[in-house]
């Protein structure tokens, strides 16, 4: 099993929403890009939410996030995992999310991308002082069918919650 390290956070000047994945998949780690697997629905969902055409260039995707006050990070900084499945994550070490929230008090929503991200967040930070930040579990954008697989449109509808926080100034 290989030791994996996640990416540094993507941070706009005044982020309103922090989207947390669990740990980047093999393809994302190879490309050194958040949600680098072209089959993952993440970028399609975000651009759909804002009624904007999807861009292919990764730097433009990050600029899109920053423009809309969306920060990206992962719940885990390091772990061991064979392949890309969250179920295979072992010996996870969490990122210091409470410190990030102190540094960026403009963050009002943590949107966990999928069950594993949410479970790990609760495991490591349930006693952390993070209010008045709301935390929600959103359906995974992964293309791998899970126990609670939803259609693309169902995912978009559930992800729409982030717009409530981005509109706040």
């Amino acid at each position: 099993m290989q030791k994996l390290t996640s990416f540094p956070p993507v941070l706009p000047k005044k982020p309103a929403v922090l989207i947390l994945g669990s740990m980047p998949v093999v393809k994302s780690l190879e490309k050194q890009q958040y949600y680098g697997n072209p089959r993952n629905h993440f970028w399609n969902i975000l651009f759909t939410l804002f009624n904007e055409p999807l861009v292919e260039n990764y730097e433009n995707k990050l600029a899109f996030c920053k423009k809309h006050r969306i920060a990206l990070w992962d719940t885990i900084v390091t772990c061991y995992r064979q392949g890309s499945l969250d179920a295979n994550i072992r010996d996870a070490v969490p990122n210091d999310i409470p410190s990030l929230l102190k540094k960026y008090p403009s963050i009002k929503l943590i949107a966990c991308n999928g069950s594993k991200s949410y479970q790990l967040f609760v495991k490591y930070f349930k006693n952390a002082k993070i209010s008045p930040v709301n935390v929600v579990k959103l359906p995974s954008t992964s293309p791998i069918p899970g126990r609670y697989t939803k259609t693309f449109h169902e995912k978009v509808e559930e992800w729409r919650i982030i717009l409530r926080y981005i509109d706040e100034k």
Side-chain angles (χ1 to χ4, degrees):
M1 233 184 265
Q2 185 178 4
K3 184 174 183 177
L4 306 174
T5 302
S6 68
F7 309 133
V10 171
L11 291 162
K13 284 188 176 103
K14 290 188 81 174
V17 172
L18 171 60
I19 297 174
L20 289 177
S22 52
M23 171 60 72
V25 299
V26 171
K27 191 153 206 98
S28 294
L29 291 167
E30 287 170 359
K31 293 172 89 172
Q32 287 294 291
Q33 296 180 1
Y34 278 101
Y35 306 99
N37 182 341
R39 292 179 51 229
N40 191 295
H41 297 143
F42 180 79
W43 294 112
N44 284 322
I45 287 172
L46 275 194
F47 280 81
T48 298
L49 287 175
F50 290 93
N51 296 312
E52 293 188 32
L54 178 65
V55 296
E56 293 304 317
N57 178 283
Y58 182 64
E59 293 306 316
N60 291 343
K61 289 175 179 175
L62 297 183
F64 169 89
C65 285
K66 290 177 180 179
K67 175 177 95 173
H68 291 292
R69 302 177 61 212
I70 297 170
L72 304 177
W73 210 14
D74 290 301
T75 309
I76 302 169
V77 66
T78 62
C79 70
Y80 290 87
R81 182 183 65 204
Q82 187 71 40
S84 291
L85 293 178
D86 280 349
N88 294 338
I89 290 173
R90 302 288 178 263
D91 302 324
V93 175
N95 269 311
D96 189 358
I97 295 165
S99 290
L100 183 90
L101 295 173
K102 276 185 191 153
K103 188 173 179 182
Y104 294 93
S106 58
I107 296 173
K108 299 300 178 203
L109 176 70
I110 295 174
C112 295
N113 185 352
S115 295
K116 189 66 166 188
S117 172
Y118 182 77
Q119 289 165 357
L120 290 165
F121 182 86
V122 169
K123 175 181 177 180
Y124 293 113
F125 304 112
K126 69 180 172 203
N127 296 321
K129 304 278 189 250
I130 60 164
S131 60
V133 177
N134 292 322
V135 180
V136 296
K137 177 178 74 167
L138 295 174
S140 174
T141 60
S142 169
I144 297 169
R147 192 177 341 165
Y148 306 109
T149 302
K150 296 183 178 293
T151 67
F152 177 80
H153 295 292
E154 288 170 331
K155 290 179 184 182
V156 168
E157 285 311 305
E158 288 199 41
W159 275 77
R160 199 168 294 286
I161 190 172
I162 70 172
L163 297 176
R164 290 189 222 157
Y165 293 86
I166 291 169
D167 289 342
E168 293 178 2
K169 299 296 177 212

